[in-house]
Amino acid sequence: MLILGIETSCDETSASLVKDGREILSSVILSQDALHRNFGGVVPEIASRAHLESIIGVIDNALTGAKMQLPEIDAIAVAHTPGLIGALLIGVTAAKTLCMVLNKPFIAVDHLHAHIYANNLEHDDIPYPAVSLVVSGGHTTLFLSESETKHVPLGWTIDDAAGEAFDKVSKILGLGYPGGPIIDKLARRGNHHAVTFPRAYLEKDSLDFSFSGLKTAVLYHCRGQDSQKTDTKAPFDQKAADIAASFQEAVVDVLVDKTTLAAKMYNVRGILTGGGVAANSRLRQRLKDASKELSIPVYCPAIRLCTDNAAMVAGLAYKKYLPGDIAGLDIEVIP
Ligand code: KG4
Ligand code: ZN
């Protein structure tokens, strides 16, 4: 069974051909990073226009890469929620149009569930129930995953997403966009004990997140009264590396502690991660440590499958197609 997946929820235009929910025949990801870099974040209107300009070429390249033609495809899948409304609309409209013209089944996929499915593209022995942590530029959500397709939300961010905090801190430090990979790299040279930034755990046993206070604390530390506390004799590069490492440690502490808490509360058999921030090397290391402590496996997708991609969409779509979960062409996008 061959599925064409399409993903345009944020700032990557992606199309992929996946066989039987597992074998990636092609995966084309066109990043818009260069278009948004000057703004330090994704500009929704620019994202929608860029998707519109490139979607047909990206689908074409995915077909060519897999040496396939449109009539050979069995179904078409697209992420229809959540994301930027104008961006989602481009992918959904392209998918619906292809389904209508080719008379193929249309499968609508939740973008966050697809991030979790990125693990299933590489492993077929994932134990359920599992706790899944989706951490991206737009979302920070913990799910109780009962199967590859059934995910019950347990908690989410009440303000900024973790990836958004990485991007904003990078901007405060005068570094580039997207901030996550830059901070990750810089933090390796820094001391994570250098600055004590706040960790927001919210009320006891809460599985919700909050990162806006941490972002503000970094801003005050760099520009405000608190800036005196940094070792003024250290060269700028080292100061920035120490701030990056200390900030990253604060984010990772909260992510790992809440994921571990959820795993214990729901007595799960495994932990899954997904989304751009799941590419973070410190988070991956700390989750590995947590895996040993809890004696359950922790899965992190390959780096190229952490950030937005259509292979995870096409993969999950196969698992929805099997029990007949086909969408009508009147389905809406939900931001
Ligand atoms: O999943 P994704 O591609 O898009 C959304 O659905 O939002 O995630 C993008 C986010 C950005 O905020 C980016 O800074 C962050 O993932 N990111 C990272 C790393 N690589 C990407 N954050 C921390 N460490 C990384 N290595
Ligand atoms: Zn995403």
Side-chain angles (χ1 to χ4, degrees):
M1 165 109 197
L2 190 62
I3 298 186
L4 166 66
I6 298 174
E7 151 64 42
T8 62
S9 64
C10 190
D11 62 342
E12 264 96 26
T13 316
S14 180
S16 171
L17 281 160
V18 176
K19 200 175 155 198
D20 297 337
R22 194 63 200 271
E23 194 186 337
I24 303 172
L25 302 185
S26 67
S27 171
V28 179
I29 304 169
L30 185 68
S31 165
Q32 301 176 2
D33 284 353
L35 299 177
H36 302 289
R37 193 160 283 144
N38 285 344
F39 305 95
V42 179
V43 183
E45 183 57 29
I46 294 178
S48 315
R49 279 166 189 264
H51 285 308
L52 184 58
E53 281 163 17
S54 52
I55 186 75
I56 293 174
V58 166
I59 293 171
D60 251 351
N61 285 349
L63 287 163
T64 314
K67 299 190 177 64
M68 292 285 172
Q69 311 236 321
L70 275 177
E72 293 174 87
I73 288 162
D74 297 303
I76 296 160
V78 67
H80 77 115
T81 188
L84 301 169
I85 189 156
L88 287 166
L89 263 173
I90 307 299
V92 169
T93 307
K96 283 182 179 176
T97 309
L98 285 172
C99 286
M100 206 181 288
V101 173
L102 301 166
N103 197 22
K104 303 280 179 189
F106 174 64
I107 306 164
V109 162
D110 182 302
H111 172 75
L112 302 186
H113 298 177
H115 271 305
I116 301 170
Y117 191 85
N119 295 285
N120 301 91
L121 285 169
E122 297 173 304
H123 303 275
D124 52 17
D125 54 354
I126 292 175
Y128 294 97
V131 156
S132 299
L133 172 71
V134 179
V135 257
S136 70
H139 299 89
T140 303
T141 310
L142 272 171
F143 292 94
L144 179 63
S145 299
E146 289 162 11
S147 69
E148 289 131 322
T149 51
K150 188 141 196 277
H151 308 283
V152 182
L154 301 175
W156 47 82
T157 180
I158 57 168
D159 42 54
D160 292 352
E164 198 178 347
F166 271 94
D167 294 335
K168 287 181 177 161
V169 165
S170 178
K171 197 173 175 184
I172 292 168
L173 291 173
L175 307 169
Y177 173 84
I182 300 169
I183 301 251
D184 188 346
K185 198 166 164 212
L186 183 62
R188 285 175 213 164
R189 293 195 283 110
N191 168 10
H192 67 251
H193 298 296
V195 190
T196 308
F197 287 126
R199 278 98 169 128
Y201 285 97
L202 307 173
E203 65 273 22
K204 189 177 178 304
D205 289 348
S206 166
L207 296 177
D208 288 334
F209 300 89
S210 165
F211 294 107
S212 71
L214 170 60
K215 173 194 69 188
T216 310
V218 175
L219 182 70
Y220 282 165
H221 180 84
C222 294
R223 308 230 173 108
Q225 318 95 338
D226 218 22
S227 62
Q228 316 305 338
K229 289 190 193 159
T230 313
D231 178 4
T232 44
K233 281 182 280 210
F236 172 76
D237 274 6
Q238 190 53 50
K239 271 193 248 178
D242 287 348
I243 292 169
S246 303
F247 155 77
Q248 179 176 268
E249 201 66 12
V251 175
V252 170
D253 271 352
V254 176
L255 292 177
V256 173
D257 289 349
K258 295 217 174 219
T259 305
T260 307
L261 173 65
K264 286 179 184 160
M265 278 165 82
Y266 291 89
N267 198 19
V268 295
R269 301 176 59 215
I271 291 173
L272 307 175
T273 60
V277 183
N280 184 268
S281 59
R282 183 70 182 150
L283 177 61
R284 291 166 89 95
Q285 178 57 49
R286 292 278 307 278
L287 284 169
K288 232 190 231 174
D289 300 342
S291 163
K292 280 190 206 130
E293 188 198 314
L294 294 166
S295 301
I296 55 172
V298 172
Y299 299 86
C300 300
I303 305 289
R304 75 197 150 85
L305 292 173
C306 285
T307 42
D308 288 343
N309 67 87
M312 63 187 192
V313 172
L316 175 57
Y318 175 69
K319 298 291 174 178
K320 294 191 77 169
Y321 177 85
L322 291 179
D325 191 354
I326 308 298
L329 290 180
D330 57 348
I331 200 166
E332 310 249 355
V333 301
I334 309 165

